[in-house]
Amino acid sequence: MIEKEQISVYEKWQNDWPLFAKDVLKVRLDPEQKEILRAIQTNKMVAVAAGTARGKDFVGAVAALCFLYLTPKFNANGELIENTKVALTGPTSRQVQNIMYPEISRLFNNAKVLPGRLVGTDIRTDWEEWFLTGFKADDTNQEAWSGFHAVNTMFVVTEASGISETTFSAIEGNLQGNSKMLCIFNPNTSIGYAARAMSSQRWKSFRLDDLNAPNVKAKKIIIPGQVDYEWVKDKVETWCQPIIKNEFDEGKGDFKWKNEETKKFDYYRPNDLFRVKVRGMFPEVSEDILIPYRWIELANERWQRVKELGLIKSVPKQFGVDVAGMGTDSSVICEKMGDFVVQFDQHQSSGKADQMQTTGEVKNKLIKNPRSQAFIDTIGEGAGVYSRFVEQGMKNRVFSCKASESATNLTDITGIHEFVNMRAYMYWAVRDWLNPINETGACLPPNSKLALECREIRYMVLSNGKIQIEAKEDIRKRLGFSTDYFDSLALCFYPHTKNNKMNAFKLLSYLR
């Protein structure tokens, strides 16, 4: 007979996975690993990009055992009434058998009290529908995933950047009921399913940086098996370039490292090996990418902090209005207040022009914000929206913006670059605004679609030195949809006055 006290303890573990890890698995998690474990407990989809030996597979194994032993339910007769299945997978058999499963078996043996037995790369119990199994992901055998329909299902994907879209689609087909997917990987590439997970609102994402590892910060072994100070120190010296303070650019992954001889901090710029293997960051994108992913991350982080600190100022708002046409695009309104983008409002056109709806939405925003202005893309359906405002006597509140118009006498923030047209100018103005080196304090709300659009836009420098943005049709072919969110943001940078400049909040002084 199970005592009430035992039931109470078990319920505490169900509500607190780190406590179960400590009490039963007898492991020591660092603060970031505890945060990840709690996130897995409460979220359906979690992604973790990490540097070398940062414990990503270890925390994945802990999460797998927490789920395996804290989710099944039995009736008073000891019959399994809510089954649990856990799958470990990776691109190769070696990654499952030699990396992930040894972590599982060590934890299982160390606990000594967990029901079940180790069999091959499985944990099998006396109940056929309650188990953990590990196997190589195989694109040619999607039926392998069909057996994972259960009340409680969890998929732990190691080295997720090496898994195909096909396999992820098969896994997502099983995410029903109480189901979870954990993707853990070294961010070797900035493209693919795992990379997109890091910027998607569907996912809770984390980055484990070796510079923040307990052993590195303490300069001694605090947690055996994790990355140590001497290894990171060697990589700082061999994979990084010393820079002066004035060159420091957080967007490039630059960091401070304490010099043990002078006891002062020196500044360094990492190469791509260091970014990936040490910092858990994606490699730098090719030179023709308009907005590096890291810039978006930084703007998202500032947005969160500004919201938490209540630093949003009451200033006139700008509304960038990208109006959908007859196809599958969306109408998007970007609401920008100084250097803080409040939100994006989006609605589907459903294959029909939606001038009336968009006009009504923008008009309501202008009425609620008396000193605000709207910038409307008037190529296509937007021309009709602008005309309606003119008819209603609101011409002083709205601006007609044409991407094809001249950008003569307009330059970038440095005064050096010129542009082939207004579209190139506005797109580049967004780049200047997001570039951390310019310290504008740019704040963007997390938005997975915007992040995807930013990372896909490319530019080129023509023989006359002017900047040109690639055609919208080419971007659409790669993305599968139009850059509606980015276009609405870019419209907020339309130069409606002769001396139009970015109106920086300079929020960085608050955020540092």
Side-chain angles (χ1 to χ4, degrees), residues 10-24:
Y10 184 75
E11 288 175 346
K12 285 182 180 179
W13 290 335
Q14 287 181 308
N15 294 322
D16 188 348
W17 285 15
L19 182 63
F20 178 81
K22 174 176 174 289
D23 291 349
V24 179

Side-chain angles (χ1 to χ4, degrees), residues 211 235-257 266-275 279 281 284 287 295 435-437:
L211 295 181
K235 300 305 174 272
V236 170
E237 295 169 352
T238 56
W239 288 350
C240 299
Q241 174 187 354
I243 59 174
I244 60 176
K245 185 177 181 179
N246 290 343
E247 296 175 329
F248 186 85
D249 181 354
E250 193 175 4
K252 292 184 177 294
D254 295 349
F255 63 96
K256 295 189 293 184
W257 182 258
D266 294 329
Y267 295 84
Y268 289 90
R269 177 160 298 163
N271 65 13
D272 270 348
L273 269 176
F274 193 93
R275 287 171 65 90
R279 301 219 62 190
M281 300 172 70
E284 279 204 297
E287 291 298 321
W295 297 4
N435 191 339
I437 203 168

Side-chain angles (χ1 to χ4, degrees), residues 25-40:
L25 303 181
K26 297 179 172 54
V27 299
R28 178 176 181 178
L29 299 171
D30 67 44
E32 288 179 293
Q33 289 174 328
K34 286 181 182 178
E35 186 181 359
I36 291 170
L37 190 59
R38 290 193 179 96
I40 298 167

Side-chain angles (χ1 to χ4, degrees), residues 114-241:
L114 297 174
R117 56 199 176 279
L118 300 173
V119 181
T121 53
D122 294 4
I123 294 178
R124 291 289 166 173
T125 70
D126 293 337
W127 290 264
E128 192 174 319
E129 292 293 297
W130 178 24
F131 62 83
L132 175 150
T133 185
F135 55 90
K136 169 191 169 185
D138 190 345
D139 298 335
T140 64
N141 183 22
Q142 297 308 308
E143 292 78 13
W145 302 102
S146 62
F148 282 89
H149 295 296
V151 176
N152 309 294
T153 54
M154 182 176 188
F155 302 90
V156 181
V157 187
T158 187
E159 296 307 329
S161 56
I163 300 290
S164 74
E165 302 276 348
T166 304
T167 295
F168 277 116
S169 295
I171 294 174
E172 285 212 29
N174 291 285
L175 295 183
Q176 303 172 30
N178 180 32
S179 58
K180 298 181 183 294
M181 175 159 49
L182 169 63
C183 288
I184 48 182
F185 61 102
N186 292 116
N188 299 306
T189 176
S190 59
I191 61 174
Y193 185 98
R196 292 198 303 273
M198 293 297 290
S199 60
S200 171
Q201 290 177 302
R202 299 173 65 211
W203 292 76
K204 180 73 173 177
S205 60
F206 296 87
R207 180 168 64 89
L208 290 175
D209 189 337
D210 285 358
L211 295 181
N212 297 328
N215 297 342
V216 176
K217 294 175 75 172
K219 299 185 179 66
K220 62 181 181 181
I221 300 301
I222 302 294
I223 301 180
Q226 274 209 33
V227 63
D228 60 58
Y229 173 80
E230 292 301 327
W231 184 86
V232 173
K233 180 175 180 288
D234 176 68
K235 300 305 174 272
V236 170
E237 295 169 352
T238 56
W239 288 350
C240 299
Q241 174 187 354

Side-chain angles (χ1 to χ4, degrees), residues 204-430:
K204 180 73 173 177
S205 60
F206 296 87
R207 180 168 64 89
L208 290 175
D209 189 337
D210 285 358
L211 295 181
N212 297 328
N215 297 342
V216 176
K217 294 175 75 172
K219 299 185 179 66
K220 62 181 181 181
I221 300 301
I222 302 294
I223 301 180
Q226 274 209 33
V227 63
D228 60 58
Y229 173 80
E230 292 301 327
W231 184 86
V232 173
K233 180 175 180 288
D234 176 68
K235 300 305 174 272
V236 170
E237 295 169 352
T238 56
W239 288 350
C240 299
Q241 174 187 354
I243 59 174
I244 60 176
K245 185 177 181 179
N246 290 343
E247 296 175 329
F248 186 85
D249 181 354
E250 193 175 4
K252 292 184 177 294
D254 295 349
F255 63 96
K256 295 189 293 184
W257 182 258
K258 191 170 185 179
N259 187 314
E260 291 304 304
E261 294 181 4
T262 64
K263 303 302 180 184
K264 295 181 179 179
F265 284 100
D266 294 329
Y267 295 84
Y268 289 90
R269 177 160 298 163
N271 65 13
D272 270 348
L273 269 176
F274 193 93
R275 287 171 65 90
V276 174
K277 300 297 184 183
V278 179
R279 301 219 62 190
M281 300 172 70
F282 291 112
E284 279 204 297
V285 294
S286 58
E287 291 298 321
D288 64 344
I289 297 296
L290 185 71
I291 309 291
Y293 175 69
R294 181 57 181 157
W295 297 4
I296 304 166
E297 279 189 320
L298 292 171
N300 291 161
E301 291 168 7
R302 284 191 292 269
W303 189 90
Q304 296 283 11
R305 281 180 281 171
V306 170
K307 288 278 285 186
E308 291 169 2
L309 295 172
L311 296 176
I312 306 172
K313 299 183 180 181
S314 179
V315 298
K317 292 181 180 179
Q318 297 169 302
F319 300 104
V321 185
D322 185 64
V323 186
M326 301 290 286
T328 59
D329 296 345
S330 301
S331 287
V332 179
I333 303 171
C334 173
E335 183 175 332
K336 184 171 176 287
M337 189 166 58
D339 287 299
F340 188 90
V341 172
V342 180
Q343 63 186 16
F344 291 89
D345 293 327
Q346 173 263 346
H347 65 261
Q348 296 287 343
S349 65
S350 301
K352 300 178 182 178
D354 57 354
Q355 295 178 8
M356 294 295 290
Q357 182 176 350
T358 304
T359 301
E361 290 180 3
V362 176
K363 185 175 181 180
N364 286 337
K365 291 178 182 293
L366 291 172
I367 292 173
K368 290 179 181 178
N369 301 275
R371 293 187 296 159
S372 61
Q373 298 169 321
F375 301 87
I376 304 171
D377 178 2
T378 52
I379 294 179
E381 296 298 330
V385 174
Y386 177 74
S387 296
R388 291 180 185 278
F389 279 113
V390 173
E391 292 169 1
Q392 295 172 24
M394 298 183 69
K395 188 175 180 179
N396 63 323
R397 301 283 303 279
V398 298
F399 294 84
S400 169
C401 310
K402 288 184 170 63
S404 58
E405 66 181 277
S406 171
T408 303
N409 299 325
L410 292 172
T411 66
D412 72 328
I413 201 169
T414 67
I416 297 173
H417 293 299
E418 296 181 337
F419 307 92
V420 298
N421 55 24
M422 187 58 66
R423 176 171 176 256
Y425 170 80
M426 292 189 296
Y427 273 44
W428 199 270
V430 177

